[in-house]
C-alpha cells in the first residue's frame, strides 16, 4: 500500500512552484490538512480551489476528498504503532542514547514507507531480467556505490555475470557494449546524478533492459529506465542524499537478490556452499 506522504515527497522536486507550496504545507502539517476543507488549504497556500484539485489529480487522486482520506488513513496507521518521532536535528549536547533512538526511528520509518510504496510487479520484472541477463552493469557513485557493491558481489557469488562501474568513463564504455541480452541498473537517491544517468541512457539506447533505483519517480534516471523501483527516504541533518537512502536502497536491492536466488536456487545453493567452504580456511579459530 503506497503512502501518500512518500508519494508527495517523491514528486515534489518536479512540481510547479504553486503545487510545491501545497506539497510543502501537507508535508509540514499532514494532520492539519487532513482536518481542513479544500477552501482552508487553498487559503493557507495562497492559491485557488481549482489549483488544489489539479494538485490532487497530479498525485493520481480523484480529488481533495481522496487526499484527505489518504492522509487520515496514513496518520491512523502511524498512530497505531508507537514510535519515536523522526530525526529532526542534533545539538552538540544530545546524548548518544537520544541519537541512537532517533536514528533507529528515522530508518525504520523510511524502510516501512519504502516497503509500503514499492511496486512489487516492477520488482518481479526486474528479477526476471536479472535472471535471464547475459551481463549486468551496475552504475552508481558516492553513497549509492557502497550499496551497489553489496548487490554486485552477492550476485557475482551466485554466478550472475556482472560489474559495478563508479567511474563515468568506464561506465559509458561498458554501456556502449550492451544489447538486448543485457541489463543495466542505475542507483541514485536523487536520480539526477549525471554519472549514473548518462550510462543508463546509453545502455537503454543499445537495447539493454534498464532498471532505476531512486527516491524520485520523475527524475532523469527514472526517465532513462524501463523499470523504476522507488525508495522513500528523507534527508535529515548530517545524513543527506545517498547517506539517508542507504538502508532503503539496501531493502530494495535485497528484494532483487533474494528473487534471483529463489529462481536459481539449485545453482545458487551449490555456489554459495562452495564459496563458504573456500573462505573457511581464512577464518581464524576461536581462542
Amino acid at each position: 500500500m503506497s503512502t501518500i506522504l512518500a508519494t508527495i515527497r517523491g514528486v515534489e522536486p518536479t512540481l510547479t512552484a504553486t503545487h510545491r507550496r501545497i506539497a510543502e504545507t501537507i508535508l509540514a502539517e499532514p494532520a492539519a490538512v487532513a482536518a481542513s476543507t479544500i477552501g482552508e488549504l487553498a487559503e493557507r497556500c495562497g492559491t485557488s480551489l481549482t489549483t488544489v484539485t489539479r494538485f490532487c489529480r497530479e498525485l493520481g487522486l480523484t480529488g481533495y476528498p481522496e487526499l484527505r482520506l489518504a492522509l487520515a488513513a496514513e496518520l491512523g496507521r502511524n498512530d497505531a504503532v508507537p514510535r519515536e518521532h523522526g530525526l529532526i536535528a542534533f545539538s552538540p549536547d544530545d546524548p548518544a542514547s537520544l541519537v541512537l533512538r532517533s536514528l533507529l526511528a528515522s530508518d525504520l520509518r523510511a524502510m516501512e514507507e519504502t516497503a509500503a510504496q514499492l511496486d512489487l510487479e516492477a520488482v518481479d520484472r526486474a528479477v526476471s531480467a536479472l535472471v535471464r541477463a547475459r551481463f549486468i552493469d551496475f552504475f552508481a557513485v558516492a553513497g549509492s556505490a557502497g550499496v551497489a557493491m553489496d548487490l554486485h558481489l552477492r550476485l557475482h557469488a551466485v554466478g550472475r555475470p556482472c560489474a559495478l562501474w563508479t567511474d563515468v568513463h568506464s561506465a559509458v564504455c561498458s554501456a556502449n557494449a550492451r544489447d538486448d541480452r543485457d541489463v543495466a541498473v542505475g542507483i541514485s537517491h536523487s536520480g539526477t546524478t549525471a554519472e549514473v544517468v548518462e550510462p543508463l541512457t546509453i545502455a537503454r539506447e543499445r537495447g539493454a533492459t534498464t532498471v532505476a533505483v531512486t527516491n524520485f519517480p520523475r527524475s532523469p534516471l527514472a526517465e532513462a529506465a524501463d523499470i523504476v523501483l522507488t525508495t522513500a527516504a528523507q534527508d535529515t541533518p548530517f545524513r543527506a542524499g545517498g547517506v539517508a537512502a542507504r538502508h532503503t536502497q539496501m531493502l530494495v536491492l535485497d528484494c532483487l537478490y533474494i528473487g534471483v536466488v529463489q529462481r536459481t536456487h539449485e545453482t545458487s545453493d551449490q555456489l554459495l556452499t562452495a564459496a563458504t567452504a573456500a573462505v573457511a580456511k581464512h577464518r581464524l579459530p576461536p581462542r
Side-chain angles (χ1 to χ4, degrees), residues 106-153:
S106 177
D107 286 343
L108 283 175
R109 184 170 194 129
M111 293 180 73
E112 287 170 355
E113 291 187 353
T114 294
Q117 57 82 56
L118 186 61
D119 185 343
L120 296 182
E121 290 185 1
V123 171
D124 184 71
R125 295 199 308 275
V127 169
S128 296
L130 292 170
V131 168
R132 65 173 180 263
R134 175 190 66 162
F135 194 83
I136 304 164
D137 275 327
F138 291 101
F139 306 128
V141 299
S144 296
V147 179
M149 180 177 289
D150 180 81
L151 180 59
H152 158 240
L153 292 175

Side-chain angles (χ1 to χ4, degrees), residues 186-241:
I187 305 170
S188 167
H189 171 68
S190 68
T192 59
T193 305
E195 293 85 350
V196 178
V197 175
E198 181 183 0
L200 196 73
T201 301
I202 293 172
R204 189 181 195 184
E205 291 170 351
R206 297 295 182 267
T209 299
T210 51
V211 181
V213 179
T214 179
N215 213 69
F216 300 97
R218 297 182 183 178
S219 62
L221 186 67
E223 292 174 0
D226 300 304
I227 303 169
V228 180
L229 306 176
T230 52
T231 57
Q234 296 184 60
D235 289 356
T236 56
F238 307 115
R239 302 176 80 214

Side-chain angles (χ1 to χ4, degrees), residues 23 29 36 49 71 89 94 116 142 170 193-194 214 216 239 248 273 279 284:
E29 301 180 283
S36 299
L49 306 185
L71 287 171
D94 285 340
S170 301
T193 305
T214 179
F216 300 97
R239 302 176 80 214
T248 56
T273 300
V279 301
L284 297 175

Side-chain angles (χ1 to χ4, degrees), residues 7-287:
T7 297
I8 293 172
R9 283 195 297 271
V11 302
E12 184 181 3
T14 64
L15 298 175
T16 64
T18 304
H19 283 186
R20 190 176 300 170
R21 192 159 62 245
I22 298 171
E24 290 170 351
T25 300
I26 295 170
L27 293 173
E29 301 180 283
V33 173
S36 299
T37 65
I38 187 172
E40 290 169 340
L41 178 59
E43 182 178 359
R44 187 178 306 168
C45 298
T47 189
S48 66
L49 306 185
T50 301
T51 300
V52 174
T53 299
R54 287 175 180 161
F55 169 82
C56 295
R57 289 176 179 166
E58 188 163 359
L59 299 178
L61 305 175
T62 57
Y64 187 67
E66 188 176 358
L67 173 63
R68 289 183 65 189
L69 286 173
L71 287 171
E74 182 166 344
L75 292 168
R77 288 194 300 271
N78 291 343
D79 289 343
V81 181
R83 68 173 83 222
E84 299 279 348
H85 288 291
L87 180 65
I88 303 300
F90 288 118
S91 74
D93 298 325
D94 285 340
S97 59
L98 176 59
V99 172
L100 177 60
R101 289 199 307 273
S102 297
L103 289 172
L104 180 61
S106 177
D107 286 343
L108 283 175
R109 184 170 194 129
M111 293 180 73
E112 287 170 355
E113 291 187 353
T114 294
Q117 57 82 56
L118 186 61
D119 185 343
L120 296 182
E121 290 185 1
V123 171
D124 184 71
R125 295 199 308 275
V127 169
S128 296
L130 292 170
V131 168
R132 65 173 180 263
R134 175 190 66 162
F135 194 83
I136 304 164
D137 275 327
F138 291 101
F139 306 128
V141 299
S144 296
V147 179
M149 180 177 289
D150 180 81
L151 180 59
H152 158 240
L153 292 175
R154 287 192 289 163
L155 287 181
H156 181 75
V158 295
R160 297 295 98 191
C162 55
L164 167 63
W165 308 103
T166 60
D167 170 76
V168 69
H169 293 188
S170 301
V172 297
C173 287
S174 189
N176 268 296
R178 297 301 127 234
D179 61 27
D180 60 5
R181 296 170 293 177
D182 304 315
V183 172
V185 182
I187 305 170
S188 167
H189 171 68
S190 68
T192 59
T193 305
E195 293 85 350
V196 178
V197 175
E198 181 183 0
L200 196 73
T201 301
I202 293 172
R204 189 181 195 184
E205 291 170 351
R206 297 295 182 267
T209 299
T210 51
V211 181
V213 179
T214 179
N215 213 69
F216 300 97
R218 297 182 183 178
S219 62
L221 186 67
E223 292 174 0
D226 300 304
I227 303 169
V228 180
L229 306 176
T230 52
T231 57
Q234 296 184 60
D235 289 356
T236 56
F238 307 115
R239 302 176 80 214
V243 175
R246 60 188 172 186
H247 293 104
T248 56
Q249 289 175 338
M250 184 64 76
L251 179 65
V252 173
L253 297 185
D254 270 345
C255 286
L256 297 181
Y257 171 72
I258 296 299
V260 170
V261 171
Q262 286 177 318
R263 298 191 194 185
T264 62
H265 64 278
E266 290 185 6
T267 301
S268 295
D269 185 61
Q270 291 173 1
L271 290 171
L272 289 173
T273 300
T276 300
V279 301
K281 62 183 179 182
H282 293 279
R283 300 188 185 281
L284 297 175
R287 295 183 177 180

